[in-house]
Amino acid sequence: MHAPVLVLKDSLKRESGTKVHHANIQASMAVADIIITTLGPRSMLKMLLDAAGGIVVTNDGNSMIELSRMQDEEVGDGTASVIVLGRSLCSRMLFISSMDFLLLRSFGIQLPSVGCVLFGAAGEMLHVAEAFIEKNYHPTHTIRLWRMLLPIAVLDKIAMTIDVKHRSTVLGLVKSCIGTKFTSQFGDLIADLAIDATQTVGVDVGQGLREVDIKKYIKVEKVPGGQLEDSKVLKGVMINKDVVSPGKMKRKIVNPRIILLGCPLEYKKGENQTNAELVREEDWEVLLKMEEEYIENHCVQILEFKPDLVITEKGLSDLACHYLSKAGVSAIRRVRKTDNNRIAKASGAVIVNHPDELQESDVDPKACTVLLRGASKDLLNEVERNLQDAMSVSRNIIKNPKLVPGGGATELTVSATLKQKSSSVEGIEKWPYEAAALAFEAIPRTLAQNCGVNVIRTMTALQGKHANGENAWIGIDGNTGAITDMKDQKIWDSYNVKAQTFKMAIEAACMLLRIDDIVSGIKKKQAPGAGQAPKPKVETEADADGEQILPD
């Protein structure tokens, strides 16, 4: 059979084969090189310019790229590691082409929003794969072997189970995981807030397991002013709303009976423009009375259950406000849907979409609000990002109470295991094992680089200790660069975070290696006024009359 013939526009550009692989690898390495310095307690900060023109200074990987955002949605941490590890895997497989940033955009990645451990992982995996491409080693073989070597069994072997009820242990883990963040200078403050919040909203799902839904049941309310030490966890829901009629409705109610509505307490308006033709003057009064009776019936149905507080997501008319305040019922209107859900969780009430559906079981905590105080909005935004990471770590421990060593010890143990595995494999199939073993060393090597120690000596000593199988918990202290026992230093990582980092890095590297053809048709942006043909000048009769036929 003949190869298919593709007819493309002149503006389209096509690249295929190994050239695409090299371009993809270089693109991942370029992004990972930006992120690699944000890993560890001695990390550097990145200044980002957002679409609205605002400036964000952070080392949080989730603020910087889409791949790490996928990591953040799963486990909430390890967003920088996954980038670094992926770079190493891919770049041992060359030319930076115009397709690099096209490829990044195809995954929703923009350079001013890149992340750190996840991208480092994915980038390093691609880095080691580059040698295979140059040796004409088919990517599918590399992909098949990499998916077989997911090092979850190694993690299970070195993991340590902890008691979630032992607060000091959980506090040590959360502090260890957010030790590289801005808020680490405030001691246990953010870690305590995160643990209190996640333990408040935890729900038992049976078999000794607990589920924690951070997005749905924990609200972070930022109030500029005061000091960061004034922040606290409110065991309830805080909403920035006042009662509809402040002079007539109570603001403080102890143990209230609450009704939550998802419908308006006002006369229902027509979806389209409605015209009413009135023949007699009395008809106008009848029409007004129908509206009043409609609202009155709704209020009567609500007041039958003797509530103390009515909260609705929609509007509330003046007439409904009159009936409710007359009965001594407070009302809050136009509450966000997410806030209404949190109130329902906290109070045990059920959101009703029509007063006719109300039951006694729907009237009348498992939700909370974290109140953050700080000097400025920029400070509060960075604290909120750090708090989200801390809550995610606390949630991971509640769901799966296992720890693995930090400081690159886990990666070095995995690397040593893969090197031993490669010695038992014959032929060229041992290459991917050796390459992956080299890629996993990117995390401890980056930690050594960022804290300014001699990288070659430190890595040689670490490799020797792990090759002998002395102690799987031997790693590098990111502050001093010393080789120590992570258990003694209390430098830990969550099992879920580490497992997800390895999975995402390998999957991202495999996905990029499977791409062998790119067709792009992006138009280049022209400078203002460039490329515009001059408008043709049309001569008028006056121009013709004024034209000189003979020179002076």
Side-chain angles (χ1 to χ4, degrees), residues 11-69:
S11 59
L12 294 181
K13 182 179 179 181
R14 183 185 181 195
E15 293 184 359
S16 58
T18 57
K19 189 175 181 180
V20 172
H21 291 135
H22 288 310
N24 295 349
I25 291 167
Q26 291 299 326
S28 72
M29 291 170 61
V31 177
D33 286 339
I34 297 173
I35 299 306
I36 204 167
T37 57
T38 65
L39 181 64
R42 296 293 184 185
S43 60
M44 307 299 286
L45 299 176
K46 302 296 179 185
M47 182 178 289
L48 310 175
L49 182 67
D50 61 19
I55 294 176
V56 178
V57 178
T58 182
N59 64 351
D60 184 17
N62 182 37
S63 303
M64 293 187 283
I65 203 158
E66 187 71 23
L67 176 59
S68 59
R69 196 162 295 131

Side-chain angles (χ1 to χ4, degrees), residues 6-15 98-99 102 518-524:
L6 298 178
V7 180
L8 304 174
K9 292 182 179 179
D10 293 340
S11 59
L12 294 181
K13 182 179 179 181
R14 183 185 181 195
E15 293 184 359
S98 60
M99 309 305 296
L102 167 67
I518 297 178
V519 177
S520 64
I522 298 178
K523 293 182 178 179
K524 293 183 179 179

Side-chain angles (χ1 to χ4, degrees), residues 396-418:
N396 294 334
I397 288 300
I398 292 175
K399 293 174 67 175
N400 189 2
K402 287 184 179 180
L403 303 181
V404 292
T410 302
E411 288 80 2
L412 287 165
T413 303
V414 171
S415 177
T417 305
L418 290 176

Side-chain angles (χ1 to χ4, degrees), residues 27 50 78 81-82 128 134 172 223 243 249 280 304 349 365:
D50 61 19
S81 298
V82 77
V128 297
E134 293 174 350
V223 180
V243 291
M249 295 180 175
R280 297 177 300 169
E304 285 178 358

Side-chain angles (χ1 to χ4, degrees), residues 414-424 433 437-438 441 463:
V414 171
S415 177
T417 305
L418 290 176
K419 288 177 181 177
Q420 293 175 1
K421 175 71 176 176
S422 66
S423 62
S424 62
Y433 286 96
L438 191 60
E441 294 176 357
Q463 289 168 354

Side-chain angles (χ1 to χ4, degrees), residues 193-389:
L193 291 176
I195 294 171
D196 290 341
T198 51
Q199 288 181 348
T200 300
V201 302
V203 178
D204 291 321
V205 294
Q207 299 180 352
L209 301 176
R210 287 174 64 82
E211 181 65 34
V212 179
D213 194 333
I214 294 176
K215 291 184 179 180
K216 197 171 183 181
Y217 298 129
I218 299 179
K219 179 184 180 182
V220 179
E221 190 74 32
K222 296 174 289 186
V223 180
Q227 297 179 347
L228 191 60
E229 287 77 7
D230 298 332
S231 303
K232 65 177 89 173
V233 176
L234 305 176
K235 294 189 177 179
V237 181
M238 174 183 171
I239 53 175
N240 191 14
K241 291 281 185 181
D242 197 0
V243 291
V244 178
S245 182
K248 300 178 182 178
M249 295 180 175
K250 293 180 288 186
R251 284 177 170 158
K252 183 178 181 179
I253 307 172
V254 180
N255 296 325
R257 288 169 60 84
I258 302 174
I259 287 180
L260 303 179
L261 299 176
C263 61
L265 285 179
E266 55 188 0
Y267 187 73
K268 187 177 180 181
K269 301 179 179 65
E271 294 182 1
N272 299 317
Q273 186 177 356
T274 304
N275 295 323
E277 185 176 347
L278 304 177
V279 179
R280 297 177 300 169
E281 183 179 350
E282 295 81 7
D283 294 342
W284 177 250
E285 295 180 359
V286 173
L287 189 63
L288 292 177
K289 188 157 185 73
M290 288 174 61
E291 292 185 4
E292 293 176 1
E293 290 176 352
Y294 176 83
I295 296 173
E296 185 179 6
N297 291 336
H298 277 5
C299 292
V300 169
Q301 290 171 349
I302 291 172
L303 295 174
E304 285 178 358
F305 295 92
K306 298 179 180 179
D308 297 311
L309 178 63
V310 175
I311 300 176
T312 177
E313 300 171 15
K314 309 293 183 180
L316 191 143
S317 67
D318 293 340
L319 187 60
C321 177
H322 165 72
Y323 287 127
L324 293 177
S325 62
K326 188 177 179 181
V329 178
S330 300
I332 300 176
R333 63 184 171 189
R334 304 197 188 283
V335 175
R336 292 179 182 176
K337 180 71 175 176
T338 53
D339 288 340
N340 214 15
N341 288 333
R342 291 188 182 101
I343 296 170
K345 178 72 173 175
S347 63
V350 177
I351 300 174
V352 177
N353 291 319
H354 199 277
D356 294 340
E357 303 170 358
L358 273 172
Q359 301 176 6
E360 182 63 31
S361 59
D362 297 333
V363 188
D364 273 333
K366 276 293 180 181
C368 68
T369 302
V370 181
L371 176 62
L372 294 180
R373 303 300 305 276
S376 65
K377 289 184 179 179
D378 293 333
L379 172 67
L380 288 173
N381 289 337
E382 182 64 18
V383 171
E384 183 187 15
R385 284 190 287 268
N386 297 169
L387 178 64
Q388 291 291 348
D389 287 346

